[in-house]
Amino acid sequence: EVSEYVRSAQIAAVLGGTLFVHGAAEERALGFVPSMQLFFRMNSADVVRSLPGTREGLPLHEWVDALNGFAAASVAEWLAEPRWREDGTRGGEALMAYQCRPAVAAM
């Protein structure tokens, strides 16, 4: 089942001295973990940075752990509330926004 796969997945892992990521590891994104309050819409860098829980400049292993924690929390939120709300948002929206450059202001 897709939900089981997504629940088990990780966005990043460090094996030995190698970083593995889902997608790409752009230099400006290293050490960045978005807020769970990030919405899937065009955001400015100031908005992204001002959201509660946004973290920047994390060392590699701390970043990987925090990023995977963010993803796990987002997936849990999506599983609990997978349908679109009347306000146009849904559970797990922060994870959808994370993969969208305009939503994270190309962090």
Side-chain angles (χ1 to χ4, degrees), residues 52-82:
T54 297
R55 300 173 72 189
E56 294 183 85
L58 296 176
L60 178 63
H61 292 279
E62 189 177 338
W63 172 61
V64 167
D65 290 344
L67 193 58
N68 287 326
F70 161 79
S74 294
V75 168
E77 189 180 88
W78 167 68
L79 290 169
E81 198 166 359

Side-chain angles (χ1 to χ4, degrees), residues 8-56:
S8 301
Q10 293 187 342
I11 292 179
V14 177
L15 301 175
T18 305
L19 171 66
F20 293 87
V21 296
H22 175 79
E26 294 185 29
E27 187 174 344
R28 64 181 166 226
L30 297 175
F32 169 76
V33 179
S35 167
M36 289 293 293
Q37 295 179 25
L38 182 66
F39 289 111
F40 188 62
R41 63 177 169 227
M42 186 173 260
N43 292 300
S44 70
D46 289 340
V47 166
V48 173
R49 285 188 177 104
S50 71
L51 293 171
T54 297
R55 300 173 72 189
E56 294 183 85

